Amino acid sequence: MPNEPGSKVVIIGQGYVGLPVAIRACEMGFDVIGHDIDVARAELLNAGESFIEDISPARLAAALATGRYRASADPEDLGGFDVAVISVPTPLSEGTPDLSFIEEATYALARHLRPGGTVVLESTTYPGTTEELVRPILEEGSGLRAGIDFHLGYSPERIDPGNLDWTFENTPKVVSGLTEACLEKIDAFYSRLVDQTVPVRSPREAELTKLLENTFRHVNIALVNELAMFAGDLGIDIWEAIDAASTKPFGYMRFTPGPGVGGHCLPIDPSYLSWRVRQSLGLTFRFVELANDVNDHMPDYVVRRLISALNDRELSVKGRRILLLGLAYKKNTADDRQSPTTAIIGQLKSLGADLVAADPHVDADRSRADVTRVPCDVDQVRAADAVVILVDHDGFDFDMVAAEASFVLDTRHCIKDGKNVEYL
Ligand SMILES: NC(=O)c1ccc[n+]([C@@H]2O[C@H](COP(=O)([O-])OP(=O)(O)OC[C@H]3O[C@@H](n4cnc5c(N)ncnc54)[C@H](O)[C@@H]3O)[C@@H](O)[C@H]2O)c1
């Protein structure tokens, strides 16, 4: 049986999404090839080096030791697969969905697709991709028919890097198939990997589910971000209002302001949906456009607030030592893709700041940020004219920062009632 332990599973893309799926499939008894075009990444994984915090080196080592997990950059290793999962990037290219990674991965799979095989797309994308893009490539490349000779479906990933409570295993997984039989196969496969599956009617509903989740988050963050700017000008404490509103046991969900959105999801996924709406219906998805506008401008607002706070102290940004705390796009993760800190660094550098940054999670060698790295210790905090808290990593000692800094701009409300502190 193709979905039974011992059958061959290939996971295309060994990043934040693909690696956890691959390791879990190995742990549940499948023979797994973790395919990645990045040769260096495959070699590192085979050497037991995990660059993803959610997969510890010990867990990776245990998977390698079973002999049932191996990373490979060689497409020939895809041969003979029973189940294939596609988890490759879906970026935007000049505001337009770039599906070239999905296309390339699908072409590679089509050559090895056999009757009875199952292919699942997990990459986040606009509704229609599985049926309109993946299906024809697989059918033409294999000479087989989806829903008749092989199974095809979509299952969005909900991984939240760094979240210890909600993991790949205990987060319900939405599954879909082109036909009832496809859904049955795909549901059976994921039921072995996760505690609960949530079957939906077709791949389109599953594709929209993911975009709905991320657009919901994006829009609500934009709402509190815009409110934070107005509240600041009105002299109202937005954080106290948010805390108070969060006591309502129904009809309210807590979102907090910050220096902007980042990562692989929020700055990108809602635009996949608005692109599809524009392309198919000729309409504008106004909520997404507005949320993009507000969230994209948060780094400008942070810099403006810093300039104004320094001005109040008769200081200019030029030549001042500014210590940024946090480079990742969110708490307790090493992921700095699309992080709003990049824009803040660019602006402060162009203003002539003597800029340094600390982040215990983001490896200096792998970081995208062009800034001198320092530890977040008493000496660095005392030496700074201003400390800007951008990420609320648990590893930062915010009590020390509050006690030692001459001025703090706290964009995450990490310091409670400190003197010399301004909040977003
Ligand atoms: N990171 C998240 O938190 C998250 C959460 C949910 C969904 N997603 C979605 O999952 C997808 C993957 O995201 P990610 O964060 O894992 O990306 P990632 O960049 O961490 O990993 C993708 C991997 O795919 C590899 N790759 C690219 N093209 C390939 C090909 N043709 N064949 C084999 N390997 C290939 C890359 O080398 C890379 O290692 C995206 O669509 C993303 O939107 C991400």
Side-chain angles (χ1 to χ4, degrees):
M1 286 287 287
N3 287 335
E4 294 299 310
S7 48
K8 179 167 177 175
V9 172
V10 299
I11 312 290
I12 317 286
Q14 290 294 276
Y16 284 90
V17 167
L19 184 60
V21 180
I23 299 303
R24 178 67 174 165
C26 167
E27 289 167 352
M28 298 315 287
F30 292 98
D31 276 334
V32 181
I33 291 290
H35 176 62
D36 203 296
I37 42 167
D38 184 337
V39 178
R41 183 166 277 200
E43 282 172 359
L44 279 177
L45 287 170
N46 284 332
E49 264 196 60
S50 171
F51 42 89
I52 287 174
E53 287 157 327
D54 290 347
I55 300 296
S56 67
R59 206 170 156 202
L60 176 60
L64 289 164
T66 63
R68 284 184 287 96
Y69 170 75
R70 183 164 62 85
S72 167
D74 182 356
E76 289 313 307
D77 283 330
L78 301 176
F81 77 82
D82 297 297
V83 179
V85 174
I86 302 172
S87 51
V88 295
T90 42
L92 286 172
S93 177
E94 290 173 8
T96 302
D98 174 1
L99 297 184
S100 60
F101 297 94
I102 294 184
E103 279 175 330
E104 199 183 326
T106 310
Y107 278 116
L109 278 177
R111 286 196 290 282
H112 299 284
L113 184 57
R114 300 178 302 171
T118 299
V119 177
V120 190
L121 179 62
E122 282 213 14
S123 298
T124 305
T125 181
Y126 57 76
T129 307
T130 308
E131 287 169 64
E132 295 164 21
L133 182 80
V134 174
R135 177 183 186 162
I137 295 175
L138 289 176
E139 290 185 333
E140 280 159 33
S142 67
L144 302 172
R145 290 156 303 164
I148 298 169
D149 304 314
F150 69 94
H151 308 289
L152 176 63
Y154 181 83
S155 177
E157 186 45 69
R158 282 171 161 169
I159 211 120
D160 183 17
N163 189 332
L164 301 177
D165 297 327
W166 292 104
T167 61
F168 174 73
E169 293 82 23
N170 69 3
T171 302
K173 191 135 179 43
V174 173
V175 292
S176 69
L178 212 56
T179 63
E180 269 302 312
C182 293
L183 174 60
E184 228 171 82
K185 276 278 180 264
I186 290 166
D187 190 34
F189 170 63
Y190 282 110
S191 293
R192 293 196 174 275
L193 307 189
V194 300
D195 296 347
Q196 190 196 340
T197 58
V198 182
V200 296
R201 172 194 305 262
S202 87
R204 284 163 193 265
E205 280 75 25
E207 289 159 335
L208 183 60
T209 301
K210 175 71 189 176
L211 295 184
L212 170 61
E213 290 165 8
N214 282 353
T215 303
F216 173 83
R217 197 167 161 69
H218 187 50
V219 165
N220 279 288
I221 290 172
L223 172 70
V224 288
N225 276 340
E226 189 167 37
L227 204 50
M229 293 189 274
F230 292 147
D233 290 344
L234 291 168
I236 301 169
D237 184 343
I238 177 84
W239 294 92
E240 191 164 357
I242 290 172
D243 284 346
S246 303
T247 61
K248 188 179 180 190
F250 48 86
Y252 182 80
M253 187 176 282
R254 182 187 175 88
F255 288 89
T256 50
V261 293
H264 194 300
C265 294
L266 294 196
I268 295 171
D269 300 350
S271 297
Y272 264 65
L273 194 49
S274 63
W275 179 86
R276 182 58 159 177
V277 168
R278 199 176 320 113
Q279 185 238 19
S280 299
L281 306 174
L283 297 173
T284 302
F285 196 153
R286 290 169 294 167
F287 268 102
V288 171
E289 304 296 327
L290 183 60
N292 281 341
D293 189 44
V294 173
N295 289 335
D296 288 352
H297 283 98
M298 288 311 288
D300 308 346
Y301 179 69
V302 171
V303 171
R304 207 166 68 236
R305 285 285 305 273
L306 180 61
I307 292 171
S308 150
L310 289 174
N311 191 51
D312 289 346
R313 290 160 179 76
E314 293 177 8
L315 298 173
S316 64
V317 171
K318 196 177 172 94
R320 293 295 152 199
R321 167 60 69 108
I322 294 167
L323 169 60
L324 303 179
L325 296 187
L327 294 169
Y329 82 92
K330 69 166 192 170
K331 183 178 179 154
N332 297 345
T333 178
D335 193 350
D336 65 348
R337 290 177 295 179
Q338 314 274 337
S339 175
T341 53
T342 310
I344 292 169
I345 289 167
Q347 292 189 32
L348 291 176
K349 277 191 146 183
S350 70
L351 288 169
D354 172 15
L355 199 62
V356 291
D359 192 310
H361 290 269
V362 178
D363 187 0
D365 297 336
R366 288 214 181 100
S367 173
R368 291 157 178 80
D370 180 19
V371 62
T372 305
R373 299 289 291 273
V374 294
C376 177
D377 59 20
V378 175
D379 292 344
Q380 292 296 337
V381 170
R382 281 186 186 155
D385 295 292
V387 177
V388 185
I389 299 175
L390 296 171
V391 188
D392 44 346
H393 288 318
D394 288 333
F396 288 131
D397 182 349
F398 293 116
D399 289 340
M400 179 275 285
V401 173
E404 303 294 341
S406 55
F407 168 69
V408 184
L409 176 59
D410 183 355
T411 70
R412 303 279 187 177
H413 209 255
C414 301
I415 295 174
K416 309 293 169 221
D417 304 321
K419 57 177 176 36
N420 298 328
V421 182
E422 281 189 22
Y423 300 99
L424 198 63

